[in-house]
Amino acid sequence: MFARIVASQIYLPQRIVSNHELSESLDTSHEWIVKRTGIHARHILADDETASSMALSACQRLLAEQNIDPSLIGSIIVATSTSHTAMPSIACQLANSLGINDAFSLDVNAACSGFLYALSLGNDRIRHHNDHYSLIVGVDAMSRITDWSDRSTAVLFGDGAGAILLKSDPDTGLIGIRCGSESHGEELLRVHGNLHSSQPCTLSMDGKEVFRFAVDRLYTTSQNLLASHGIDPQSIDWVVPHQANSRILDYVTKQFDISPLRVVKTMAQHANTSAASIPLALHSLRDSGKLVRGHRLLFKAFGAGFTWGAAVCEY
Ligand code: COA
């Protein structure tokens, strides 16, 4: 049995903050941000929105569009590192709001690789626990952990949510997936602060070191995954990567010898939305009309931890 992606939906907050707007309060410029990252703008949530409310909006759209019987959803797996409550999990909040009973429901935190960790769990649920459907969500409210006075990180992130529905399929779907973590990297990308005190929690990063790790790990992980399944990189129709930085993707694309036209890039409009970035990019590819059933997709991500992951599937 395979886990096949049968639907996707997204939620992006209404407010769009351009590079020009950021440069009014930070010593930066539209030109610098575009040249170093490829980012033009980001969506930022309103005061009354949370990671949970964004996830719910994406899932409500998805279930309404698909007209799915909630009782057939066997698992809800939410990737996030910015839940505004410690408990219940966003997955359980979704189960409550959507009327889904008896589901295996949990949140996973693997930072920007979180969506692939959630996909891996959803794949296991369908293959080994007979779930008919598994609801996988990537959501992050990065603006809530951004240090808005730090120009080296404030320009990089955005907010959003993406949800996909996996369905058991006898013929095709997810072919392979690998996720892992490193025994170093904790200090290079982290959120400082403490949820048990009134200290603000803000992100800090050694951008150069993270860049180096990302290029190396995105390449080797994808290469190893494809080789272990005997898949020629040239047979990949679309690469749908985590959207951290356009230059990182350009380096990896060159190493991989794959046409840049087959690499989906959405960081210009979304910036880095952490766990939401892959489902947002997938949905934008779907909306473009270029993605058709049977296409081969390669997902890849890296994030704080360090964590990493890659997956290959037939759409
Ligand atoms: N606007 C203008 N100048 C900026 C700036 C900004 N927003 N941010 C940093 N700078 C300045 C620095 O202060 C530095 O100035 P200096 O030379 O006078 O000291 C200069 O630009 C170069 O900084 P540096 O950090 O070396 O730039 P960079 O080329 O490495 O680009 C990143 C910075 C953050 C864009 C880049 O390192 C990066 O993308 N790293 C990976 C980040 C990432 O993907 N994180 C998410 C992981 S999931």
Side-chain angles (χ1 to χ4, degrees):
M1 198 54 78
F2 290 90
R4 189 168 195 183
I5 299 172
V6 292
S8 69
Q9 260 304 343
I10 63 166
Y11 175 81
L12 288 162
Q14 223 173 359
R15 183 167 172 234
I16 296 173
V17 174
S18 68
N19 292 344
H20 293 293
E21 187 176 340
L22 280 185
S23 63
E24 286 166 17
S25 55
L26 282 173
D27 181 14
T28 190
S29 66
H30 174 71
E31 292 68 29
W32 190 95
I33 301 170
V34 171
K35 187 166 172 227
R36 306 309 288 164
T37 70
I39 295 166
H40 289 233
R42 69 285 294 142
H43 292 253
I44 300 290
L45 38 65
D47 288 348
D48 61 349
E49 291 183 303
T50 60
S52 180
S53 72
M54 292 194 289
L56 180 60
S57 297
C59 291
Q60 280 171 331
R61 286 176 184 174
L62 186 147
L63 296 188
E65 183 186 81
Q66 295 296 312
N67 199 16
I68 297 285
D69 173 358
S71 71
L72 294 175
I73 297 178
S75 44
I76 307 169
I77 304 163
V78 177
T80 189
S81 43
T82 51
S83 179
H84 73 300
T85 54
M87 65 172 106
S89 63
I90 293 181
C92 284
Q93 293 173 44
L94 292 176
N96 279 272
S97 304
L98 299 168
I100 300 171
N101 272 319
D102 293 333
F104 169 92
S105 304
L106 87 168
D107 292 358
V108 296
N109 179 351
C112 297
S113 312
F115 179 76
L116 294 185
Y117 274 69
L119 187 64
S120 176
L121 288 172
N123 184 43
D124 291 344
R125 288 295 309 177
I126 286 192
R127 289 175 68 115
H128 305 301
H129 298 271
N130 299 323
D131 285 1
H132 189 69
Y133 290 114
S134 180
L135 183 59
I136 311 293
V137 183
V139 60
D140 266 309
M142 296 305 284
S143 64
R144 297 280 155 86
I145 55 167
T146 297
D147 176 353
W148 289 104
S149 65
D150 175 9
R151 68 176 181 174
S152 69
T153 54
V155 302
L156 301 176
F157 297 96
D159 301 328
I164 64 162
L165 195 64
L166 295 176
K167 186 182 183 201
S168 63
D169 188 299
D171 301 318
T172 193
L174 196 67
I175 299 165
I177 185 160
R178 277 192 185 184
C179 296
S181 63
E182 299 287 310
S183 60
H184 74 284
E186 188 176 339
E187 296 303 323
L188 298 173
L189 174 54
R190 64 180 304 170
V191 172
H192 294 272
N194 185 336
L195 287 179
H196 299 276
S197 75
S198 55
Q199 277 180 279
C201 295
T202 50
L203 183 144
S204 74
M205 177 173 67
D206 180 334
K208 273 203 187 321
E209 282 303 314
V210 174
F211 194 103
R212 218 168 280 147
F213 166 77
V215 170
D216 173 66
R217 194 37 67 121
L218 285 177
Y219 174 68
T220 51
T221 305
S222 312
Q223 182 79 349
N224 292 343
L225 177 74
L226 294 185
S228 69
H229 290 275
I231 294 175
D232 179 354
Q234 293 300 325
S235 74
I236 300 295
D237 294 291
W238 298 106
V239 181
V240 186
H242 169 50
Q243 308 284 318
N245 182 312
S246 186
R247 287 188 301 133
I248 292 178
L249 299 186
D250 292 344
Y251 273 105
V252 181
T253 304
K254 244 183 234 158
Q255 281 176 305
F256 223 69
D257 193 24
I258 205 163
S259 163
L261 297 175
R262 288 194 266 149
V263 179
V264 180
K265 284 187 179 177
T266 53
M267 75 282 291
Q269 308 87 41
H270 303 155
N272 179 349
T273 54
S274 193
S277 83
I278 289 181
L280 286 174
L282 177 67
H283 192 73
S284 120
L285 175 65
R286 197 203 79 167
D287 268 1
S288 72
K290 294 179 188 160
L291 178 63
V292 299
R293 289 282 160 204
H295 269 175
R296 220 169 235 189
L297 299 172
L298 175 67
F299 301 117
K300 54 188 176 182
F302 67 95
F306 292 126
T307 57
W308 45 263
V312 60
C313 73
E314 230 157 57
Y315 183 69

